[in-house]
């Protein structure tokens, strides 16, 4: 039996006193995080050795009995310990990145948290005795029973809940649930490769071209206009504050709309295919223009994340092509490497006579490469792909795309 860890996100509606209690929790978690970071920085400047996780934890407990930090006792101690856990993970990621143990994009050292950060969050684990009550409210220690909009049920008891306040002033609960529920879909024959396109959001190896719907593009345009308005307002003025709220709201609306649309798209792709292969986003970023990246990048990361967790959940195969594979330069029919092509070239004819749509050809190559990688893992027999780049050219990007797994409701990014 395999376990799948899923995240379920729901909107929360805390009342005034609960909002105040949450503000205290956000503040205390921030202070504990920043105190820990400062203590480690000071130790380093003084040439002392790295302060252990246990030592930081001990200092937080000690701080509570000092007059300057006595108010830390007003929030659940689990919240404070989880803030330290975040700091410890941030340090470990940084160290592993420096030493090369962690592949991919370099990780920056931890930074101080600010009350002005767009996203404030605290995490309660099971031993903090948070509880979903029979009346549907979420009981949080030292906060109260907070109303939740349940858009679906939880399949099992959650192991933790993160409470988030976003830039638009909305509150969310993000539950982590470990599930063994067998939701495997009946097997199907077809497999698909996906090219994360320039002119299209995605192009499938069966020739389907997926474009972001009009309403989404319209909402994105409106957001851009509001952002321009904001940038023209004088710093510190009340007009600027008002404009910032409008931007945050429009941003949240675009994100919600995009998410709904991506959920539908990813569900149908997973339902219709036994295996789904996509290019690694880091590779996409390397090979393509800054413009395309800015237009689609955030969307791609969450979309491939959805494909990944839905595949795990419904018993499908999902894999990323993590090699620098020249998917748009190789003929998917004969395997000939045709050399780089400017982005304006939308179709081309190979010497073998095959006429290619640039993006569909790339998607077919993604599919072939994915099958090849997959068969190497399992020892099955498949036709070798048109192109295989040497392992030495591998570009691995483990974090951006696969960290978030959100299930319906509202994502919290
Ligand atoms: Zn050819």
């Amino acid at each position: 039996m395999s376990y799948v860890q899923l995240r379920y996100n729901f909107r929360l509606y805390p009342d005034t006193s609960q909002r105040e209690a949450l503000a205290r929790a956000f503040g205390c978690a921030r202070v504990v995080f920043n105190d820990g970071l400062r203590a480690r920085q000071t130790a380093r400047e003084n040439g002392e050795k790295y302060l252990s996780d246990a030592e930081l934890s001990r200092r937080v407990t000690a701080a509570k009995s000092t007059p300057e930090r006595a108010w830390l006792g007003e929030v659940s101690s689990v919240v404070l310990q989880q803030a330290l856990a975040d700091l410890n993970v941030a340090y470990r990621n940084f160290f592993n990145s420096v030493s090369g143990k962690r592949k991919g994009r370099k990780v920056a050292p931890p930074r101080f948290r600010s009350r002005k950060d767009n996203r404030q969050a605290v995490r309660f684990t099971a031993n903090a005795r948070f509880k979903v009550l029979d009346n549907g409210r979420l009981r949080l220690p030292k906060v109260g029973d907070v109303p939740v909009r349940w858009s679906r049920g939880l399949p099992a008891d959650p192991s933790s809940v993160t409470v988030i306040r976003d830039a638009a002033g909305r509150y969310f609960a993000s539950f982590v649930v470990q599930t063994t529920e067998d939701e495997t879909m009946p097997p199907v024959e077809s497999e698909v490769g996906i090219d994360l396109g320039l002119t299209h959001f995605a192009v499938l190896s069966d020739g389907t071209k997926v474009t972001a719907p009009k309403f989404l593009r319209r909402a994105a345009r409106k957001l851009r206009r509001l952002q321009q308005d904001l940038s023209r307002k004088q710093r510190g003025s009340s007009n600027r504050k008002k404009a910032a709220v409008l931007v945050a709201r429009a941003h949240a609306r675009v994100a919600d709309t995009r998410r709904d649309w991506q959920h539908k798209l990813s569900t149908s792709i997973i339902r219709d295919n036994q295996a789904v292969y996509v290019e690694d986003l880091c590779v996409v970023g390397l090979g393509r223009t800054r413009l395309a990246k800015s237009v689609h990048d955030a969307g791609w990361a969450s979309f491939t994340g959805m494909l990944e967790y839905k595949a795990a959940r419904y018993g499908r195969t999902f894999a990323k092509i993590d090699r620098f594979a020249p998917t748009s330069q190789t003929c998917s029919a004969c395997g000939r490497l045709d050399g780089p092509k400017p982005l304006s070239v939308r179709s081309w004819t190979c010497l073998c006579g095959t006429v290619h749509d640039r993006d569909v050809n790339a998607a077919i190559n993604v599919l072939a490469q994915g099958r090849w990688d997959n068969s190497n893992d399992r020892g099955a027999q498949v036709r070798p792909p048109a192109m295989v780049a040497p392992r030495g050219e591998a570009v691995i990007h483990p974090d951006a795309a696969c960290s978030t797994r959100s299930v319906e409701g509202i994502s919290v990014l």
Side-chain angles (χ1 to χ4, degrees):
M1 183 146 353
S2 66
Y3 291 83
V4 186
Q5 214 180 50
L6 296 171
R7 220 171 241 292
Y8 289 79
N9 303 313
F10 305 99
R11 188 90 183 260
L12 287 180
Y13 295 93
D15 64 22
T16 312
S17 75
Q18 291 166 346
R19 280 201 293 270
E20 283 165 7
L22 283 170
R24 267 197 299 278
F26 294 143
C28 289
R30 194 168 60 230
V31 164
V32 164
F33 183 96
N34 289 345
D35 281 356
L37 177 51
R38 198 171 300 112
R40 279 193 176 138
Q41 286 184 348
T42 309
R44 183 163 182 271
E45 284 156 15
N46 296 343
E48 295 158 13
K49 72 177 199 317
Y50 181 74
L51 295 177
S52 71
D53 299 358
E55 170 60 17
L56 281 193
S57 172
R58 199 193 55 73
R59 288 190 184 194
V60 168
T61 312
K64 280 192 207 172
S65 51
T66 65
E68 299 81 44
R69 291 283 185 263
W71 39 268
L72 289 178
E74 290 173 18
V75 307
S76 163
S77 59
V78 168
V79 162
L80 307 182
Q81 294 301 335
Q82 290 298 311
L84 279 188
D86 289 347
L87 177 66
N88 297 334
V89 169
Y91 262 106
R92 263 192 287 285
N93 288 344
F94 169 59
F95 291 146
N96 287 339
S97 177
V98 170
S99 72
K101 208 174 351 163
R102 184 191 169 96
K103 303 280 181 239
R105 194 184 44 171
K106 284 291 168 209
V107 176
R111 281 185 316 182
F112 287 101
R113 290 183 178 173
S114 160
R115 74 171 70 226
K116 287 183 182 155
D117 287 346
N118 279 335
R119 181 179 181 278
Q120 304 283 338
V122 285
R123 188 166 58 247
F124 298 86
T125 54
N127 59 4
R129 298 182 200 288
F130 75 86
K131 201 177 167 195
V132 177
L133 304 174
D134 291 338
N135 64 11
R137 293 186 172 213
L138 172 64
R139 174 163 293 169
L140 296 171
K142 303 206 178 179
V143 175
D145 299 346
V146 184
V148 183
R149 189 171 69 205
W150 298 99
S151 43
R152 59 176 290 162
L154 295 174
D157 282 338
S159 57
S160 76
V161 60
T162 303
V163 177
I164 296 131
R165 184 186 187 275
D166 74 4
R170 305 179 305 174
Y171 291 81
F172 301 92
S174 178
F175 295 93
V176 171
V177 176
Q178 189 100 246
T179 173
T180 56
E181 200 184 355
D182 189 9
E183 296 180 280
T184 307
M185 288 179 169
V188 289
E189 286 292 313
S190 58
E191 302 188 334
V192 72
I194 303 178
D195 178 65
L196 298 169
L198 253 182
T199 46
H200 299 84
F201 176 77
V203 175
L204 312 189
S205 52
D206 66 6
T208 310
K209 296 182 176 177
V210 183
T211 309
K214 257 208 183 89
F215 60 82
L216 184 53
R217 282 178 285 163
R218 212 164 33 222
R221 258 201 309 277
K222 185 176 174 203
L223 172 61
R224 258 200 306 282
R225 209 168 47 237
L226 288 169
Q227 275 166 336
Q228 282 163 4
D229 287 351
L230 172 64
S231 68
R232 281 195 285 266
K233 299 275 187 292
Q234 190 144 18
R235 274 188 181 281
S237 69
S238 68
N239 275 337
R240 190 181 172 94
K241 276 202 196 97
K242 275 183 220 151
V245 171
L246 287 182
V247 165
R249 279 205 201 120
H251 195 270
R253 223 171 1 246
V254 168
D256 288 353
T257 310
R258 182 197 285 136
R259 194 169 311 108
D260 286 350
W261 173 67
Q262 288 185 354
H263 267 302
K264 291 197 186 94
L265 179 61
S266 55
T267 299
S268 80
I269 288 175
I270 290 292
R271 192 187 50 228
D272 296 345
N273 294 283
Q274 191 61 33
V276 177
Y277 304 107
V278 299
E279 282 174 287
D280 184 273
L281 291 171
C282 188
V283 173
V284 173
L286 281 176
R288 308 217 166 143
T289 64
R290 181 172 280 235
L291 172 76
K293 218 168 131 60
S294 70
V295 170
H296 285 313
D297 209 25
W300 281 337
S302 69
F303 179 66
T304 55
M306 286 177 189
L307 288 173
E308 188 172 17
Y309 86 69
K310 286 178 185 177
R313 185 167 175 190
Y314 298 122
R316 304 298 204 215
T317 299
F318 171 88
K320 285 183 200 144
I321 313 306
D322 64 2
R323 270 174 265 176
F324 186 76
T327 50
S328 53
Q329 302 173 19
T330 308
C331 170
S332 57
C334 71
R336 190 174 161 275
L337 187 63
D338 200 64
K341 291 170 195 32
L343 289 169
S344 56
V345 176
R346 304 312 308 162
S347 72
W348 52 285
T349 308
C350 178
L351 287 181
C352 75
T354 316
V355 182
H356 289 298
D357 174 290
R358 179 196 180 96
D359 300 327
V360 175
N361 176 60
I364 293 171
N365 284 330
V366 168
L367 173 60
Q369 182 77 48
R371 280 178 169 157
W372 173 252
D373 290 351
N374 206 29
S375 69
N376 285 346
D377 289 345
R378 289 189 313 204
Q381 287 296 312
V382 288
R383 191 167 62 95
M387 74 289 148
V388 180
R391 272 282 172 202
E393 286 180 39
V395 181
I396 307 158
H397 186 43
D399 37 24
C402 44
S403 54
T404 313
R405 298 175 170 202
S406 305
V407 179
E408 289 194 14
I410 303 151
S411 166
V412 290
L413 289 180

